[in-house]
Amino acid sequence: MEIKKEQNGSALTIHVIGRLDAGSAPELSKELTTALDGVTDLTFDFAELKYIASAGLRVLLVAQKRMNKQGSMKLINVSEAVMEVLDMTGFASLMTIA
Amino acid sequence: MKLNIHKKVLILVLSAGLVTFLVLGLFSYYGRSVVRNDMIDMSIELGEKSAKYADYLLIEHLEESIGELAEAKAQFIDREMSIARDDARILANAMTHIMTHPEDFPPRTLSDPRTDSVKQGEPYWIYAPDIRDNITPEIKNEHMLASNIKDILSDLLKGYDGYNATAFVAGEKGWYICARLVLDENGNTNFDDTISFSHERIYEFDPRKRPWYVKAKAANAPVILSELYRTIEQTGKNSYEQIGAAAPFYDAAGNLIGVAGVDASNTDIYDFINKESVFNRGINFVMNEHGEIIFSSQAKGILAVNEVDDLRDTYLSEIAERMIKGEQDVVPVKLNSENYYFAFSPMPESNCSFGMLISENEILTATSGTGAYFLQQVANMQRKMREEHSFLNDLALFVSLTLMVILFLMSTNLSNRFVKPIHELSDGVREIASGNLDKKLDIHTGDEIEHLATCFNVMTDELKIYIANLTKATAEKERIATELNVATEIQSGMLPKDFPVREDFELFATMKPAKEVGGDFYDFYFLDETHLAITVADVSGKGIPAALFMVIAKTVLNNFAESFYKQNGLAPVVTAANEQLCANNEAMMFVTAFVGVLDLQSGEFVFVNAGHNPPVVYHAEENHCDFLDVKKNFVLGPMVGIPFAEQKISLKPGDLLFLYTDGVTEALNVNDEEYLPDRLIDFMNSTDCTANLETLLENVRDDLSKHVGEAEQSDDITMFALRFKG
């Protein structure tokens, strides 16, 4: 998994590339704990995200919970495979997906 | 070719030494060759120059010698000739005195060889044949007066000891007074002997016809009889060549009375002229003041006696003039087309000059020996130098070989000394490597090897500390691993393994954990006699947190199902469980779960799908599988107060539910390709779904294994099958 960040003032776009599974989720989780400071507008770009596991969902959940307090969060460019998981787990109805 | 350090050092030192030797040797050889060649060249030049200079010096010296020799010869001949002339003059003077003072001298008589015996040196008298029988008193008186000369004759003759000699006085009137010395057979003069006279000497001897008389009378002055003339005896033992000097004497009126003189067989002068030469082919001659040659070693040619009247009239005139002037010199001349050195020296007493000619070839022949001698010396020197050069080469070779042996020994020693600490080092390192970390390398060579040893010691110390730390860490890790294993076992132990064997339903489940302790679980239990609750769930994440959350989730679901289901149905059970799980879930752990309750009598199956994978349902009547159409409720755990929709299907006998976790559909092969729900449903449709459940699950697992291949299992794989039999 690879993470790319685009900061524009208080807006942050995070590109998650590859597989977000139990092995790589802690990395994103750790990244987010500091990256989200002062961010009001968080965007996850999943254009190149191939797979998301439940551990990855948990990271999204943590981010969502935090962003509920300090701004908003949305997912963009979600692939069909990832969307399927989000859909199945009910995350799709909980999160803003553009 | 692999060489150890010992050999490398050896080769290095040896080759360095050899190269040095070679270079020095070549330079030395080159230097010596250059010096030798230079020396040889120089010696050749020196030899040639020396030879030339020696020739030059020798010629100079020879010229000088020739001059000196000419001078000596001139003086000797001059003296010899002047002695005879002086003797003649003494006799003539004495006779003049006697004959002009007859009153002072008594008449004397002498022995007559015709009648008397005459001893050596004893004066005798005779008369010329023409007057012998008619001797006048006048002649007799004059003869008797003249006989007073006898003592002078005797005394004077003693000076000619060792020769055939005669001292004599002859009168114009025909008388003759004489004293003789005649050598015996041994060439000695014995004064006691009597002389035997030849007939000629007694009876035929006319003094006035003898050459000395004729010449002295004609010259009217003392003469030297330079030409050899024979005694009166033409043959026999008394016949010999002689030279002499004669001088006329006169009366008071100046009329000639007679001639006095000496002659002797003294041929020393001739010998001197003819033989006493430094060279074989020389010409010696004596020239008088008139340019006449009076002595000569030549029998013919212009330098022979009586060949030319005056040498000044020949092409040697210039030298002849100088000789007559009394000069002395050595000059080159050409005679008979041959080059000569012409030395001449004056003879003052006799008013003559001595000339000596020596062939240039003679001198060059003589001197060429000198040059050859020098060249021979040079050649010897060159030979010696070559020998010495050769010796030096041999010596250099010997010294080189000796030094090479020394170098080899030293190299070996040096190499050993160099390698020894390395050996110690490697021995020490080997000991350390074998586990003795307390070993300390004790090398004090003061060089890089000591530094290396020190580094090794430091490394050993650090290794010790590291090993201690590692041991500690490993122990810790092992402890954790053990604990995790225990956790896995506990987790595994929490999953029910006793599958009920009943008429109305069939149930089988497997959970294959991944490496780490995971979060999958399944559960089944009876809510009452006719209601069977089942759960398949997947906790997010892995490890201890997931395992703990799993335990909580399992317990909570179980508890709420048992206490809530009968009164409120399944949705409130899930809702209540979610509420419970959300409490204090700061970590936002969650679990996807499929919870269902089967009415074993009616086949009605009530279920809630909390974000879990949709199960596969097998419709026995159609012998067809498809995914159960589930509502997509949110997962359990993170969100409070969300609703969960409850669904219901009716199962017919033989229908089958296949529940699973994402470990099945998301199983990856080596190319990171997922197994995917489509393949699962396709496989379920292709396999025998009426088979024994354990077999069915095994078949699914086999297909899964085909897909996964060599890839490592990345997630827990849980499969759960429930068949309603009615």
Side-chain angles (χ1 to χ4, degrees):
Chain A
M1 187 202 66
E2 197 182 333
I3 300 166
K4 280 183 188 167
K5 293 185 290 181
E6 272 179 52
Q7 183 96 40
N8 188 5
S10 60
L12 175 68
T13 304
I14 296 176
H15 301 263
V16 183
I17 301 160
R19 294 174 59 87
L20 183 57
D21 55 20
S24 56
E27 191 187 336
L28 180 61
S29 174
K30 195 179 170 190
E31 186 70 42
L32 289 177
T33 47
T34 52
L36 295 187
D37 290 344
V39 173
T40 58
D41 190 1
L42 177 66
T43 305
F44 281 103
D45 189 335
F46 286 169
E48 291 174 85
L49 182 67
K50 287 180 186 169
Y51 169 78
I52 186 162
S54 58
L57 292 175
R58 193 180 71 84
V59 177
L60 292 183
L61 209 53
V62 172
Q64 180 71 63
K65 196 176 174 186
R66 186 166 170 189
M67 290 313 294
N68 286 344
K69 292 174 189 165
Q70 63 188 60
S72 65
M73 175 180 131
K74 65 173 183 247
L75 311 180
I76 60 167
N77 299 324
V78 181
S79 69
E80 204 180 321
V82 173
M83 192 62 205
E84 224 168 85
V85 175
L86 292 175
D87 206 23
M88 191 174 69
T89 52
F91 275 64
S93 56
L94 198 79
M95 294 178 176
T96 310
I97 299 171
Chain B
M1 188 171 56
K2 285 184 177 174
L3 294 170
N4 58 30
I5 290 178
H6 180 273
K7 282 181 181 157
K8 281 178 182 167
V9 170
L10 195 64
I11 287 168
L12 188 73
V13 175
L14 269 181
S15 49
L18 282 179
V19 166
T20 311
F21 269 146
L22 210 59
V23 170
L24 281 179
L26 284 176
F27 269 113
S28 143
Y29 181 78
Y30 174 74
R32 279 187 284 112
S33 294
V34 166
V35 168
R36 185 195 69 163
N37 291 338
D38 282 358
M39 295 269 292
I40 284 176
D41 289 347
M42 278 164 63
S43 68
I44 288 171
E45 200 183 333
L46 183 70
E48 285 173 350
K49 280 189 173 171
S50 299
K52 277 184 186 170
Y53 186 64
D55 282 352
Y56 167 76
L57 273 185
L58 193 68
I59 289 168
E60 283 270 292
H61 177 69
L62 277 170
E63 283 184 18
E64 212 173 289
S65 296
I66 291 165
E68 284 172 2
L69 185 66
E71 188 181 1
K73 285 196 175 199
Q75 283 173 1
F76 177 79
I77 296 166
D78 194 22
R79 191 178 65 83
E80 289 292 314
M81 283 170 64
S82 62
I83 286 170
R85 190 194 55 194
D86 288 349
D87 284 349
R89 191 177 280 150
I90 286 165
L91 284 175
N93 287 345
M95 283 310 295
T96 304
H97 180 73
I98 292 167
M99 297 314 279
T100 52
H101 297 86
E103 65 280 7
D104 294 343
F105 298 94
R108 290 179 183 273
T109 57
L110 296 175
S111 301
D112 185 344
R114 286 175 298 182
T115 53
D116 308 323
S117 67
V118 179
K119 287 189 173 176
Q120 297 273 6
E122 181 188 346
Y124 66 91
W125 64 9
I126 59 171
Y127 295 98
D130 58 326
I131 62 160
R132 189 178 304 139
D133 299 326
N134 188 22
I135 298 167
T136 62
E138 186 193 1
I139 294 172
K140 185 76 181 173
N141 290 339
E142 193 176 280
H143 197 185
M144 288 173 74
L145 180 64
S147 291
N148 284 294
I149 200 72
K150 66 165 188 142
D151 295 333
I152 298 173
L153 279 180
S154 291
D155 288 347
L156 197 139
L157 199 56
K158 282 172 188 163
Y160 291 87
D161 184 10
Y163 297 101
N164 286 317
T166 318
F168 50 82
V169 180
E172 180 68 16
K173 292 185 168 93
W175 51 265
Y176 180 64
I177 300 165
C178 179
R180 295 182 71 200
L181 290 176
V182 178
L183 300 176
D184 63 12
E185 295 80 4
N186 302 321
N188 295 323
T189 307
N190 194 337
F191 283 94
D192 295 329
D193 284 354
T194 54
I195 303 170
S196 63
F197 285 88
S198 62
H199 181 268
E200 295 97 318
R201 188 166 287 278
I202 298 172
Y203 298 104
E204 293 172 14
F205 189 86
D206 185 345
R208 294 164 299 181
K209 290 176 182 169
R210 299 299 294 164
W212 45 269
Y213 194 96
V214 177
K215 285 204 173 180
K217 184 181 174 183
N220 207 22
V223 291
I224 294 166
L225 300 156
S226 55
E227 286 175 70
L228 289 176
Y229 59 95
R230 186 156 287 277
T231 54
I232 189 73
E233 298 93 350
Q234 291 300 310
T235 56
K237 82 175 185 67
N238 287 324
S239 172
Y240 53 85
E241 297 274 325
Q242 59 185 1
I243 62 167
F249 54 92
Y250 305 92
D251 61 12
N255 299 314
L256 178 71
I257 300 170
V259 171
V262 291
D263 55 25
S265 64
N266 183 355
T267 54
D268 286 356
I269 295 170
Y270 276 86
D271 291 342
F272 225 76
I273 289 168
N274 291 324
K275 296 169 190 169
E276 301 260 331
S277 167
V278 274
F279 301 103
N280 295 327
R281 291 193 302 133
I283 300 168
N284 297 327
F285 70 93
V286 176
M287 185 186 76
N288 69 13
E289 60 202 301
H290 307 300
E292 293 169 301
I293 309 294
I294 57 171
F295 287 112
S296 178
S297 61
Q298 290 289 90
K300 51 188 180 177
I302 58 167
L303 291 175
V305 177
N306 288 338
E307 283 287 330
V308 291
D309 290 338
D310 194 336
L311 198 61
R312 285 173 292 186
D313 296 336
T314 69
Y315 63 89
L316 294 172
S317 61
E318 198 181 327
I319 298 171
E321 287 284 358
R322 292 183 64 193
M323 287 173 81
I324 287 167
K325 280 182 190 164
E327 289 181 20
Q328 184 176 357
D329 204 354
V330 179
V331 292
V333 294
K334 201 157 189 158
L335 191 68
N336 300 329
S337 69
E338 199 175 341
N339 288 321
Y340 286 88
Y341 284 97
F342 193 154
F344 53 90
S345 188
M347 298 166 64
E349 293 295 332
S350 49
N351 276 335
C352 289
S353 183
F354 178 77
M356 184 168 75
L357 285 86
I358 291 167
S359 167
E360 190 183 65
N361 287 339
E362 294 265 337
I363 291 175
L364 291 181
T365 308
T367 56
S368 67
T370 316
Y373 172 77
F374 270 100
L375 291 175
Q376 179 61 41
Q377 290 300 309
V378 168
N380 286 345
M381 189 171 86
Q382 285 173 4
R383 185 172 49 76
K384 274 194 176 171
M385 278 174 66
R386 286 201 180 89
E387 281 170 9
E388 299 232 332
H389 182 74
S390 167
F391 171 72
L392 278 178
N393 278 348
D394 291 346
L395 189 70
L397 194 66
F398 173 73
V399 168
S400 294
L401 286 173
T402 310
L403 283 176
M404 265 163 64
V405 170
I406 292 171
L407 180 71
F408 180 78
L409 294 176
M410 278 175 67
S411 308
T412 311
N413 185 265
L414 184 71
S415 186
N416 283 337
R417 274 168 54 182
F418 185 75
V419 171
K420 196 183 162 204
I422 295 179
H423 280 310
E424 283 177 15
L425 189 67
S426 59
D427 288 347
V429 169
R430 200 173 294 126
E431 192 177 338
I432 290 168
S434 70
N436 181 10
L437 292 177
D438 293 325
K439 166 77 179 177
K440 284 276 178 283
L441 297 173
D442 190 24
I443 291 169
H444 301 287
T445 50
D447 54 15
E448 287 84 349
I449 293 172
E450 182 180 339
H451 181 67
L452 186 62
T454 309
C455 288
F456 260 112
N457 286 336
V458 171
M459 189 191 78
T460 308
D461 289 344
E462 285 177 357
L463 206 58
K464 251 164 88 176
I465 294 166
Y466 177 75
I467 286 173
N469 287 341
L470 192 66
T471 308
K472 205 169 152 190
T474 306
E476 183 72 15
K477 215 172 182 179
E478 272 176 9
R479 191 178 62 78
I480 291 168
T482 308
E483 285 175 3
L484 277 173
N485 279 341
V486 172
T488 307
E489 277 170 25
I490 290 169
Q491 188 193 24
S492 184
M494 286 182 74
L495 302 178
K497 300 288 192 319
D498 296 329
F499 301 105
V501 180
R502 287 171 65 118
E503 293 295 316
D504 45 0
F505 73 94
E506 193 184 346
L507 188 150
F508 193 78
T510 61
M511 198 280 273
K512 190 187 177 193
K515 236 179 182 177
E516 275 183 76
V517 60
D520 275 15
F521 71 95
Y522 67 85
D523 203 5
F524 60 90
Y525 43 87
F526 287 98
L527 295 176
D528 57 31
E529 300 231 328
T530 57
H531 290 88
L532 174 71
I534 59 166
T535 308
V536 171
D538 180 5
V539 177
S540 64
K542 285 188 172 65
I544 298 291
L548 285 173
F549 200 75
M550 170 229 155
V551 172
I552 296 166
K554 183 174 177 284
T555 309
V556 165
L557 277 171
N558 193 326
N559 287 345
F560 281 108
E562 285 182 349
S563 53
F564 275 23
Y565 178 72
K566 279 184 183 167
Q567 290 83 13
N568 306 311
L570 192 56
V573 169
V574 175
T575 305
N578 183 44
E579 301 293 316
Q580 186 73 39
L581 288 171
C582 284
N584 303 317
N585 184 12
E586 293 302 319
M588 299 300 277
M589 299 291 290
F590 67 86
V591 58
T592 66
F594 183 90
V595 186
V597 177
L598 177 64
D599 185 333
L600 294 172
Q601 288 179 323
S602 66
E604 188 187 66
F605 183 65
V606 181
F607 61 93
V608 173
N609 183 37
H612 198 77
N613 306 63
V616 175
V617 59
Y618 170 70
H619 302 286
E621 278 182 7
E622 295 108 41
N623 188 28
H624 179 73
C625 294
D626 53 24
F627 286 112
L628 190 63
D629 183 22
V630 294
K631 287 213 170 138
K632 286 144 186 164
N633 297 303
F634 197 56
V635 296
L636 304 178
M639 205 73 82
V640 183
I642 52 167
F644 290 92
E646 178 185 307
Q647 291 172 276
K648 189 181 288 183
I649 61 165
S650 185
L651 293 180
K652 297 184 176 70
D655 285 358
L656 180 142
L657 284 169
F658 178 78
L659 283 68
Y660 58 92
T661 55
D662 56 5
V664 175
T665 52
E666 291 165 10
L668 295 173
N669 65 7
V670 285
N671 297 321
D672 276 358
E673 289 161 351
E674 293 178 3
Y675 185 71
L676 293 177
D678 287 351
R679 179 158 175 179
L680 175 64
I681 201 77
D682 287 348
F683 179 76
M684 292 292 287
N685 275 320
S686 67
T687 194
D688 180 13
C689 287
T690 61
N692 171 282
L693 292 185
E694 191 172 351
T695 308
L696 179 66
L697 294 195
E698 208 165 291
N699 290 340
V700 176
R701 184 188 298 278
D702 286 347
D703 192 54
L704 194 61
S705 296
K706 277 182 201 166
H707 171 76
V708 171
E710 294 296 313
E712 198 184 336
Q713 186 185 342
S714 56
D715 202 356
D716 298 346
I717 296 172
T718 301
M719 289 186 277
F720 184 106
L722 171 66
R723 180 180 283 143
F724 174 64
K725 290 182 175 174

mmCIF file of all heavy atoms in Angstrom, chain B residues 423-442:
data_model
loop_
_atom_site.group_PDB
_atom_site.id
_atom_site.type_symbol
_atom_site.label_atom_id
_atom_site.label_comp_id
_atom_site.label_asym_id
_atom_site.label_seq_id
_atom_site.Cartn_x
_atom_site.Cartn_y
_atom_site.Cartn_z
ATOM 1 N N HIS B 423 48.140 -15.329 11.484
ATOM 2 C CA HIS B 423 47.772 -16.671 11.923
ATOM 3 C C HIS B 423 47.196 -16.632 13.338
ATOM 4 O O HIS B 423 46.167 -17.255 13.629
ATOM 5 C CB HIS B 423 48.991 -17.600 11.878
ATOM 6 C CG HIS B 423 49.277 -18.116 10.495
ATOM 7 N ND1 HIS B 423 48.314 -18.692 9.711
ATOM 8 C CD2 HIS B 423 50.424 -18.132 9.759
ATOM 9 C CE1 HIS B 423 48.847 -19.043 8.550
ATOM 10 N NE2 HIS B 423 50.130 -18.699 8.554
ATOM 11 N N GLU B 424 47.895 -15.866 14.218
ATOM 12 C CA GLU B 424 47.396 -15.731 15.603
ATOM 13 C C GLU B 424 45.984 -15.166 15.586
ATOM 14 O O GLU B 424 45.097 -15.636 16.298
ATOM 15 C CB GLU B 424 48.322 -14.804 16.395
ATOM 16 C CG GLU B 424 49.617 -15.479 16.823
ATOM 17 C CD GLU B 424 50.542 -14.500 17.535
ATOM 18 O OE1 GLU B 424 50.070 -13.414 17.942
ATOM 19 O OE2 GLU B 424 51.728 -14.834 17.683
ATOM 20 N N LEU B 425 45.831 -14.136 14.706
ATOM 21 C CA LEU B 425 44.535 -13.479 14.599
ATOM 22 C C LEU B 425 43.468 -14.479 14.156
ATOM 23 O O LEU B 425 42.396 -14.581 14.771
ATOM 24 C CB LEU B 425 44.660 -12.339 13.575
ATOM 25 C CG LEU B 425 43.484 -11.387 13.457
ATOM 26 C CD1 LEU B 425 43.340 -10.589 14.735
ATOM 27 C CD2 LEU B 425 43.674 -10.445 12.291
ATOM 28 N N SER B 426 43.810 -15.243 13.084
ATOM 29 C CA SER B 426 42.792 -16.164 12.561
ATOM 30 C C SER B 426 42.490 -17.270 13.566
ATOM 31 O O SER B 426 41.338 -17.679 13.719
ATOM 32 C CB SER B 426 43.239 -16.744 11.220
ATOM 33 O OG SER B 426 44.443 -17.432 11.376
ATOM 34 N N ASP B 427 43.534 -17.739 14.290
ATOM 35 C CA ASP B 427 43.307 -18.758 15.328
ATOM 36 C C ASP B 427 42.352 -18.215 16.395
ATOM 37 O O ASP B 427 41.405 -18.876 16.809
ATOM 38 C CB ASP B 427 44.632 -19.170 15.976
ATOM 39 C CG ASP B 427 45.467 -20.007 15.006
ATOM 40 O OD1 ASP B 427 44.894 -20.448 13.982
ATOM 41 O OD2 ASP B 427 46.667 -20.188 15.276
ATOM 42 N N GLY B 428 42.672 -16.947 16.802
ATOM 43 C CA GLY B 428 41.847 -16.313 17.836
ATOM 44 C C GLY B 428 40.410 -16.132 17.370
ATOM 45 O O GLY B 428 39.456 -16.427 18.095
ATOM 46 N N VAL B 429 40.278 -15.679 16.108
ATOM 47 C CA VAL B 429 38.941 -15.435 15.573
ATOM 48 C C VAL B 429 38.164 -16.755 15.484
ATOM 49 O O VAL B 429 36.971 -16.812 15.782
ATOM 50 C CB VAL B 429 39.038 -14.747 14.189
ATOM 51 C CG1 VAL B 429 37.678 -14.738 13.505
ATOM 52 C CG2 VAL B 429 39.540 -13.324 14.354
ATOM 53 N N ARG B 430 38.922 -17.816 15.100
ATOM 54 C CA ARG B 430 38.268 -19.124 15.004
ATOM 55 C C ARG B 430 37.743 -19.548 16.394
ATOM 56 O O ARG B 430 36.643 -20.062 16.522
ATOM 57 C CB ARG B 430 39.259 -20.153 14.468
ATOM 58 C CG ARG B 430 38.570 -21.380 13.894
ATOM 59 C CD ARG B 430 39.560 -22.307 13.230
ATOM 60 N NE ARG B 430 40.171 -21.730 12.058
ATOM 61 C CZ ARG B 430 41.486 -21.626 11.861
ATOM 62 N NH1 ARG B 430 42.328 -22.054 12.784
ATOM 63 N NH2 ARG B 430 41.957 -21.108 10.769
ATOM 64 N N GLU B 431 38.558 -19.260 17.402
ATOM 65 C CA GLU B 431 38.147 -19.623 18.758
ATOM 66 C C GLU B 431 36.909 -18.824 19.159
ATOM 67 O O GLU B 431 35.970 -19.357 19.741
ATOM 68 C CB GLU B 431 39.302 -19.363 19.724
ATOM 69 C CG GLU B 431 39.067 -19.993 21.096
ATOM 70 C CD GLU B 431 40.247 -19.796 22.028
ATOM 71 O OE1 GLU B 431 41.361 -19.564 21.524
ATOM 72 O OE2 GLU B 431 40.032 -19.870 23.252
ATOM 73 N N ILE B 432 36.937 -17.530 18.795
ATOM 74 C CA ILE B 432 35.776 -16.686 19.114
ATOM 75 C C ILE B 432 34.553 -17.208 18.373
ATOM 76 O O ILE B 432 33.460 -17.343 18.937
ATOM 77 C CB ILE B 432 36.062 -15.222 18.723
ATOM 78 C CG1 ILE B 432 37.114 -14.642 19.668
ATOM 79 C CG2 ILE B 432 34.789 -14.393 18.780
ATOM 80 C CD1 ILE B 432 37.669 -13.318 19.203
ATOM 81 N N ALA B 433 34.800 -17.536 17.056
ATOM 82 C CA ALA B 433 33.686 -18.015 16.243
ATOM 83 C C ALA B 433 33.104 -19.302 16.806
ATOM 84 O O ALA B 433 31.906 -19.563 16.685
ATOM 85 C CB ALA B 433 34.160 -18.235 14.813
ATOM 86 N N SER B 434 33.970 -20.118 17.436
ATOM 87 C CA SER B 434 33.468 -21.378 17.998
ATOM 88 C C SER B 434 32.674 -21.135 19.280
ATOM 89 O O SER B 434 32.163 -22.082 19.867
ATOM 90 C CB SER B 434 34.636 -22.328 18.258
ATOM 91 O OG SER B 434 35.401 -21.838 19.341
ATOM 92 N N GLY B 435 32.585 -19.872 19.722
ATOM 93 C CA GLY B 435 31.688 -19.555 20.822
ATOM 94 C C GLY B 435 32.345 -18.964 22.047
ATOM 95 O O GLY B 435 31.671 -18.518 22.954
ATOM 96 N N ASN B 436 33.681 -18.932 22.044
ATOM 97 C CA ASN B 436 34.346 -18.388 23.227
ATOM 98 C C ASN B 436 34.454 -16.878 23.105
ATOM 99 O O ASN B 436 35.448 -16.325 22.638
ATOM 100 C CB ASN B 436 35.731 -19.030 23.362
ATOM 101 C CG ASN B 436 36.446 -18.514 24.596
ATOM 102 O OD1 ASN B 436 35.841 -17.832 25.433
ATOM 103 N ND2 ASN B 436 37.728 -18.828 24.703
ATOM 104 N N LEU B 437 33.385 -16.207 23.518
ATOM 105 C CA LEU B 437 33.369 -14.751 23.380
ATOM 106 C C LEU B 437 34.237 -14.068 24.423
ATOM 107 O O LEU B 437 34.433 -12.859 24.365
ATOM 108 C CB LEU B 437 31.931 -14.225 23.466
ATOM 109 C CG LEU B 437 31.041 -14.621 22.290
ATOM 110 C CD1 LEU B 437 29.634 -14.112 22.502
ATOM 111 C CD2 LEU B 437 31.592 -14.083 20.984
ATOM 112 N N ASP B 438 34.730 -14.842 25.387
ATOM 113 C CA ASP B 438 35.603 -14.243 26.403
ATOM 114 C C ASP B 438 37.044 -14.194 25.927
ATOM 115 O O ASP B 438 37.908 -13.625 26.578
ATOM 116 C CB ASP B 438 35.516 -15.048 27.709
ATOM 117 C CG ASP B 438 34.121 -14.906 28.313
ATOM 118 O OD1 ASP B 438 33.540 -13.809 28.169
ATOM 119 O OD2 ASP B 438 33.621 -15.896 28.880
ATOM 120 N N LYS B 439 37.283 -14.809 24.766
ATOM 121 C CA LYS B 439 38.646 -14.822 24.204
ATOM 122 C C LYS B 439 39.045 -13.401 23.800
ATOM 123 O O LYS B 439 38.273 -12.676 23.172
ATOM 124 C CB LYS B 439 38.668 -15.742 22.986
ATOM 125 C CG LYS B 439 39.896 -15.604 22.111
ATOM 126 C CD LYS B 439 41.106 -16.297 22.701
ATOM 127 C CE LYS B 439 42.314 -16.163 21.775
ATOM 128 N NZ LYS B 439 43.507 -16.757 22.363
ATOM 129 N N LYS B 440 40.251 -13.030 24.238
ATOM 130 C CA LYS B 440 40.769 -11.700 23.848
ATOM 131 C C LYS B 440 42.004 -11.904 22.986
ATOM 132 O O LYS B 440 42.893 -12.675 23.350
ATOM 133 C CB LYS B 440 41.147 -10.885 25.097
ATOM 134 C CG LYS B 440 39.924 -10.327 25.808
ATOM 135 C CD LYS B 440 39.473 -9.030 25.168
ATOM 136 C CE LYS B 440 38.225 -8.482 25.829
ATOM 137 N NZ LYS B 440 37.017 -9.189 25.410
ATOM 138 N N LEU B 441 42.047 -11.217 21.843
ATOM 139 C CA LEU B 441 43.216 -11.312 20.962
ATOM 140 C C LEU B 441 44.334 -10.471 21.550
ATOM 141 O O LEU B 441 44.128 -9.309 21.885
ATOM 142 C CB LEU B 441 42.873 -10.813 19.559
ATOM 143 C CG LEU B 441 41.796 -11.630 18.851
ATOM 144 C CD1 LEU B 441 41.412 -10.953 17.551
ATOM 145 C CD2 LEU B 441 42.285 -13.042 18.600
ATOM 146 N N ASP B 442 45.478 -11.100 21.701
ATOM 147 C CA ASP B 442 46.603 -10.411 22.357
ATOM 148 C C ASP B 442 47.720 -10.229 21.330
ATOM 149 O O ASP B 442 48.675 -10.989 21.291
ATOM 150 C CB ASP B 442 47.075 -11.244 23.541
ATOM 151 C CG ASP B 442 48.056 -10.455 24.394
ATOM 152 O OD1 ASP B 442 48.007 -9.210 24.353
ATOM 153 O OD2 ASP B 442 48.877 -11.086 25.084
#
